[in-house]
């Protein structure tokens, strides 16, 4: 489930709504400036994949399931601001078409599953790029760690929002949320790494966060050689 | 030989639609992370449906008018994936188009 209406106080819903509108608005502004031709279908298909993968709940432990969130994957493919747009599109469709996630809580869901994960992932990827060798395997490891962290960070922020709302004390909800999401994050990491590896295999140029990677000996010729 | 963006898009969309249609009916139906915590910590009952969600086309990922629960989920997944793709693609295309002529002017 996403955060439904009723879990958050009006103040928290409004404040997260403002943050979500600001992040999505800036994402739209960035898209207007920087979106290149290849990214138009990529944005659509990333949103479609995130939506589909979010439906695939996998068992975690003790009668609990987890599902993919997608902020890290979207950030790896498109950068953090377009990733906020991708997650917002998914959450809007889920709220209005499938009654999954609240309407007044939409901003909070965009913040927890989109903005926190996307901006956090952006920072992680930038830091990783600075210290890791520019090769595929360490990059995929970085993608996995980033995905795990995005889920855990989102769960922590959701816990804080629930606590500020007076729904449940932080000391109660935070350990419970983290306790589940450290495992859900492993699933997130596995799906993210698999998806990024698949895109790298066919169209490495579509992975925004992999621009710095050196060509592997077995990979396709560089774009400059292949194109007339 | 590199896969064209069009071919890539069609293939990746096919994977997404396939997962949402054929695999989602068999996904775990246990409560997810937040659902589990809300239940265990006894705040799940605060959940309410917004008035506009009373008329949601496919509440709880069940496509209306289909009695078989698995088929209803699969059809909802199929429809939802295409709607999300259309929205994402359409939004991105509009943003780019708006930039194009403005820059040319």
């Amino acid at each position: 489930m996403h955060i439904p209406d009723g879990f958050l106080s009006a103040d928290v819903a409004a404040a997260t709504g403002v943050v979500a509108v600001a992040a999505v608005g800036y994402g739209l502004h960035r898209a207007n400036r920087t979106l290149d031709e290849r990214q138009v279908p990529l944005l659509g298909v990333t949103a479609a994949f995130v939506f589909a993968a979010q439906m695939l709940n996998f068992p975690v432990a003790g009668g609990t399931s987890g599902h993919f969130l997608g902020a890290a994957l979207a950030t790896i493919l498109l950068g953090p601001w377009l990733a906020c747009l991708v997650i917002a599109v998914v959450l809007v469709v889920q709220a209005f078409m499938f009654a999954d996630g609240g309407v007044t809580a939409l901003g909070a869901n965009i913040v927890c599953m989109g903005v926190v994960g996307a901006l956090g992932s952006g920072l992680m990827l930038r830091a990783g790029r600075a210290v890791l060798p520019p090769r595929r395997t360490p990059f995929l490891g970085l993608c996995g760690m980033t995905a795990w962290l995005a889920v855990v960070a989102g769960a922590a922020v959701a816990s804080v929002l629930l606590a500020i709302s007076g729904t449940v004390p932080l000391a109660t909800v935070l350990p419970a949320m983290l306790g589940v999401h450290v495992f859900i994050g492993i699933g997130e990491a596995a799906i993210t790494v698999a998806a990024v590896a698949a895109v790298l295999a066919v169209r490495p140029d579509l992975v925004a966060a992999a621009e710095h990677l050196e060509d592997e000996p077995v990979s396709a010729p560089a774009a400059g050689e292949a194109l007339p | 030989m590199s896969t064209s963006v069009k071919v890539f898009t069609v293939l990746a969309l096919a994977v997404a639609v396939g997962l949402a249609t054929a695999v989602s009916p068999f996904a775990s139906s246990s409560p997810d992370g937040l659902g589990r915590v809300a239940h265990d910590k006894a705040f799940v009952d605060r959940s309410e449906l917004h008035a506009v969600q009373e008329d949601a086309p496919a509440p709880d990922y069940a496509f209306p008018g289909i009695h078989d629960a698995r088929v209803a989920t699969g059809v909802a997944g199929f429809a939802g994936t295409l709607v999300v793709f259309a929205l994402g693609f359409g939004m991105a295309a509009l943003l780019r188009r708006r930039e194009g002529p403005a820059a040319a002017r």
Side-chain angles (χ1 to χ4, degrees), chain A residues 38-141:
Chain A
R38 301 163 308 158
Q39 288 179 317
V40 172
L42 183 62
L43 197 148
V45 90
T46 303
F49 180 82
V50 168
F51 172 84
Q54 284 202 4
M55 287 185 77
L56 308 180
N57 287 59
F58 47 85
V60 181
T64 307
S65 72
H67 64 72
F68 186 63
L69 293 185
L73 175 64
T75 302
I76 293 162
L77 295 177
L78 292 158
W81 298 107
L82 296 180
C84 290
L85 290 187
V86 165
I87 302 300
V89 166
V90 171
L91 289 169
V92 164
V93 172
Q94 286 172 332
F96 291 101
M97 191 167 168
F98 301 104
D100 185 16
V103 173
T104 61
L106 190 53
N109 282 314
I110 291 174
V111 168
C112 293
M113 284 179 279
V115 180
V116 168
L119 301 190
S121 295
L123 292 175
M124 269 289 285
L125 292 165
R126 193 185 295 180
R129 190 173 169 148
V131 298
L132 291 172
R135 288 196 306 275
R136 190 176 167 278
T137 308
F139 174 70
L140 288 175

Side-chain angles (χ1 to χ4, degrees), chain A residues 125-203:
Chain A
L125 292 165
R126 193 185 295 180
R129 190 173 169 148
V131 298
L132 291 172
R135 288 196 306 275
R136 190 176 167 278
T137 308
F139 174 70
L140 288 175
L142 173 68
C143 291
M145 277 180 55
T146 300
W148 184 86
L149 261 178
V151 168
V152 173
V157 172
S159 304
V160 171
L161 297 179
L162 290 165
I164 297 174
S165 298
T167 301
V168 56
L170 188 64
T172 303
V173 70
L174 186 62
M177 283 290 277
L178 293 183
V180 185
H181 286 89
V182 292
F183 294 106
I184 294 174
I186 298 172
E188 180 87 8
I191 296 167
T192 302
V193 169
V196 173
V199 181
L200 279 180
V202 287
R203 280 297 298 247

Side-chain angles (χ1 to χ4, degrees), chain B residues 20-49:
Chain B
T21 309
V23 182
S24 77
F26 304 96
S28 169
S29 54
S30 299
D32 66 10
L34 177 62
R36 162 59 57 193
V37 172
H39 181 267
D40 288 354
K41 305 304 176 191
F43 59 90
V44 73
D45 291 341
R46 289 175 177 242
S47 164
E48 47 194 57
L49 214 54

